[in-house]
Amino acid sequence: MSYLTLSLTLIFVLIPLILSRTLKLGLEKDTLIATIRSIIQLLAVGYVLQYVFEVDNIIFIVLMILLMIGAATQNARKKGATIHGITWKLIVTFVFIEVLTQSILLGFQIVPPTPQYIIPISGMVIGNSMVLGILFLNRFTAEVESRQDETELILTLGGTPKQAIHTQLITSIKASTIPTIESQKTIGLVQLPGMMSGQIIAGADPVQAVQFQLLILFILLTTAVVTSIMLGFLSYPTLFNNRMQFLKLKS
Amino acid sequence: MIQAAIKFHDVNYSADGLHILKNITGSFPEGKITTLVGPSGAGKSTLFKLCNGLRSPDSGEILIKGKPIEEYNPVELRRNVGIALQSATMVKGSVLENLDLPLTLQGKSIDLDDAKELLHDVGLADNILERNAKDLSGGQRQKLSIARTLVNKPKVLLLDEITSSLDRVSQHDIEELIEKINEKYGTTMIWITHNLDQALRIGHCTWVMMNGELIESGDSSLLMNPNDKRVQDFVKGEIE
Ligand SMILES: Nc1ncnc2c1ncn2[C@@H]1O[C@H](COP(=O)(O)OP(=O)(O)OP(=O)(O)O)[C@@H](O)[C@H]1O
Ligand SMILES: [Mg+2]
């Protein structure tokens, strides 16, 4: 695509701007900010990727992944601010899920060990792990808060912290992973997944595009389940002290 | 002399910057029923939570059967010092599952006949076993909560306003049950109540707490003619 045709795509920005102005929706400012940010961010990423692909140096790949993990942590930690040490718990989770998925992919030679594969797949894994982390933390902190009485009851009866928080933990793990699993049931029927569409538009063989999409879907299943479980098991102990007393959430 | 089941020595406790318990010193005699009375917000329920290690004091010492509370394993301690919580909280599930909870936590399960007997003891019909516990009435939940606390066969039983939503007849039945358990097993009872008649009926001893302090303690008869002016006013207000 040339820069001329690319600039023509701004028509799609003008339409909502004009509609917002005429109907007084007040969306102009946010639309403009979103447009400008996406142009700058994506172009920057494009050039960085181009450079990283050319140099093909492991250090740059690792740097990019660390950057992704940093950004994901920054985004997700706000949702778990009431849990002690949530920042490092998120970092550990993201690093673990990244190492796990990449070792399987590269170890079994499912994809070639080049930045063209490693970086986009890492982006999807870490991005989805972040979304799952946010879903999980939202639900978990709400469950813990609203069911304090039950937690205290179980402790009173001589239950361990794990028993006292079990229901909340399982409910939150399930609730946060269900959307990922459910969305895979209808995938392709209504909407073609973004990555697959992109590949087809770029001229790839549809069947090959499907194969890659399946690979991604399965990776995301692991990502979803492992992220929630790991965050859950890292988080719940901070709600108790070593005398098995239930601590209040940080406020 | 009767040994103290639970002994407080100069205990202070605060939460969220609020000084809730202030220099509490006193003891609960073993094998007796001690009532704990005082106005709302006096710190009675909080004191219970310190007795079975759900909270730890900021300063001072709590002795359970002569041994510092920190030396007990928390799980063991809580099974031996049971609380029937003021809120009569139920977990999701049936009446049976709730009754079974103390044993489920130990990987065991309750004998069905035992379950029925316990329900009978607290005055609940055994045909409610399969009902959803959250659907019970306030009074039924209180009865179930008492029965559930009995499952662990605690040596010390802390009862937090367990008859507040009960009719007079049920109230008397529960009082009889508690007295029977006290006599039969020598279980030490501490009973928080807002009902001073009840305190006089069932208590051997009493503690009067106000605003986080232990004002008076001793034989139940002190409620009839208290020394402290504040207690006199409180007693007058409650009986009127
Ligand atoms: N977790 C907590 N955090 C902050 N304050 C608390 C906490 N628990 C209790 N309090 C405060 O401590 C005081 C004593 O509460 P507590 O529940 O022990 O009173 P109580 O004597 O049992 O009253 P009632 O007769 O109404 O049940 C109250 O002022 C209450 O607001
Ligand atoms: Mg209370």
Side-chain angles (χ1 to χ4, degrees), chain A residues 248, chain B residues 15-16 18 20 39-46 86 161 194:
Chain A
K248 281 199 156 171
Chain B
D16 292 342
L18 197 69
I20 301 176
S40 283
K44 306 181 297 293
S45 300
T46 308
Q86 186 167 15
E161 291 187 44
H194 274 284

Side-chain angles (χ1 to χ4, degrees), chain B residues 49-61:
Chain B
K49 288 181 180 168
L50 265 72
C51 289
N52 86 342
L54 282 183
R55 305 275 185 278
S56 293
D58 301 337
S59 66
E61 197 175 33

Side-chain angles (χ1 to χ4, degrees), chain B residues 69-87:
Chain B
I69 195 164
E70 319 78 67
E71 290 179 18
Y72 288 87
N73 168 296
V75 168
E76 286 303 311
L77 175 73
R78 289 168 193 167
R79 282 182 194 148
N80 283 314
V81 181
I83 305 187
L85 293 166
Q86 186 167 15
S87 50

Side-chain angles (χ1 to χ4, degrees), chain A:
Chain A
M1 226 193 299
S2 73
Y3 276 101
L4 176 68
T5 41
L6 184 62
S7 53
L8 282 177
T9 60
L10 286 174
I11 294 171
F12 293 112
V13 178
L14 277 176
I15 294 174
L17 276 180
I18 293 167
L19 282 176
S20 171
R21 171 58 61 88
T22 28
L23 294 177
K24 298 202 169 55
L25 300 178
L27 300 173
E28 296 99 306
K29 197 176 152 211
D30 281 325
T31 311
L32 274 178
I33 293 177
T35 308
I36 293 168
R37 278 191 62 160
S38 55
I39 293 173
I40 297 174
Q41 289 169 4
L42 285 181
L43 280 181
V45 168
Y47 286 116
V48 170
L49 283 182
Q50 201 174 36
Y51 178 73
V52 172
F53 289 174
E54 263 167 29
V55 189
D56 194 4
N57 184 330
I58 180 83
I59 293 181
F60 285 108
I61 299 179
V62 172
L63 264 177
M64 289 250 358
I65 292 171
L66 287 181
L67 210 70
M68 292 173 186
I69 291 178
T73 307
Q74 187 60 31
N75 257 329
R77 59 189 278 208
K78 292 174 216 131
K79 295 295 170 193
T82 49
I83 292 170
H84 287 271
I86 190 62
T87 306
W88 76 261
K89 291 180 168 64
L90 283 165
I91 293 176
V92 168
T93 306
F94 295 147
V95 169
F96 178 80
I97 193 77
E98 168 68 10
V99 170
L100 175 76
T101 50
Q102 291 299 338
S103 359
I104 295 173
L105 287 173
L106 301 177
F108 289 108
Q109 296 177 344
I110 299 171
V111 300
T114 58
Q116 281 88 336
Y117 286 90
I118 297 176
I119 290 176
I121 292 177
S122 297
M124 283 188 258
V125 166
I126 295 167
N128 273 273
S129 188
M130 173 188 84
V131 171
L132 254 292
I134 290 173
L135 285 177
F136 173 81
L137 289 172
N138 251 341
R139 183 65 184 255
F140 187 59
T141 48
E143 289 279 328
V144 169
E145 184 90 24
S146 68
R147 299 172 93 157
Q148 297 185 21
D149 283 358
E150 286 170 54
T151 306
E152 198 114 290
L153 168 73
I154 291 174
L155 292 178
T156 303
L157 294 171
T160 59
K162 192 167 159 203
Q163 289 173 321
I165 210 75
H166 184 257
T167 313
Q168 293 89 319
L169 196 58
I170 298 300
T171 311
S172 314
I173 290 174
K174 264 195 185 158
S176 57
T177 50
I178 280 174
T180 303
I181 298 170
E182 282 302 311
S183 70
Q184 297 201 4
K185 286 189 190 162
T186 53
I187 203 157
L189 295 181
V190 184
Q191 194 189 18
L192 294 182
M195 189 201 76
M196 196 174 106
S197 312
Q199 270 189 298
I200 294 174
I201 290 169
D205 167 27
V207 175
Q208 208 191 2
V210 166
Q211 289 176 342
F212 263 102
Q213 188 63 48
L214 281 177
L215 168 73
I216 296 296
L217 286 184
F218 298 155
I219 293 176
L220 295 189
L221 267 185
T222 291
T223 304
V225 176
V226 173
T227 301
S228 284
I229 294 178
M230 223 177 128
L231 261 186
F233 280 84
L234 286 176
S235 297
Y236 92 80
T238 59
L239 301 174
F240 302 87
N241 65 14
N242 62 354
R243 296 292 303 156
M244 298 194 189
Q245 294 167 341
F246 182 53
L247 305 173
K248 281 199 156 171
L249 287 172
K250 270 199 312 190
S251 49

Side-chain angles (χ1 to χ4, degrees), chain B residues 98-119:
Chain B
N98 268 276
L99 196 55
D100 199 15
L101 185 59
L103 292 173
T104 317
L105 295 173
Q106 305 176 44
K108 298 185 233 166
S109 85
I110 196 167
D111 186 276
L112 201 58
D113 287 330
D114 290 349
K116 287 180 178 166
E117 197 182 322
L118 270 168
L119 286 188

Side-chain angles (χ1 to χ4, degrees), chain B residues 131-236:
Chain B
R131 282 186 57 192
N132 187 340
K134 300 218 179 198
D135 291 341
L136 297 181
S137 75
Q140 287 174 317
R141 275 211 307 274
Q142 277 192 334
K143 291 177 178 178
L144 179 56
S145 165
I146 300 166
R148 185 175 55 195
T149 312
L150 295 175
V151 170
N152 272 337
K153 298 196 171 65
K155 304 212 169 44
V156 178
L157 201 46
L158 311 176
L159 309 166
D160 198 344
E161 291 187 44
I162 51 167
T163 61
S164 60
S165 334
L166 300 187
D167 59 84
R168 246 168 214 284
V169 177
S170 307
Q171 205 169 319
H172 275 96
D173 289 346
I174 296 295
E175 288 172 13
E176 265 175 33
L177 172 71
I178 296 301
E179 281 174 329
K180 203 176 81 190
I181 294 171
N182 168 251
E183 276 161 27
K184 192 165 164 193
Y185 302 105
T187 309
T188 306
M189 306 279 180
I190 308 174
W191 192 331
I192 295 176
T193 175
H194 274 284
N195 180 336
L196 291 188
D197 291 324
Q198 183 176 53
L200 283 167
R201 260 198 315 273
I202 49 150
H204 304 124
C205 308
T206 194
W207 273 37
V208 187
M209 283 182 68
M210 282 179 187
N211 195 18
E213 289 175 71
L214 172 58
I215 308 282
E216 281 198 67
S217 66
D219 197 87
S220 275
S221 59
L222 80 83
L223 290 173
M224 311 271 268
N225 46 358
N227 298 316
D228 193 280
K229 176 78 175 68
R230 288 165 293 176
V231 182
Q232 285 167 9
D233 291 345
F234 169 68
V235 170
K236 229 190 286 165

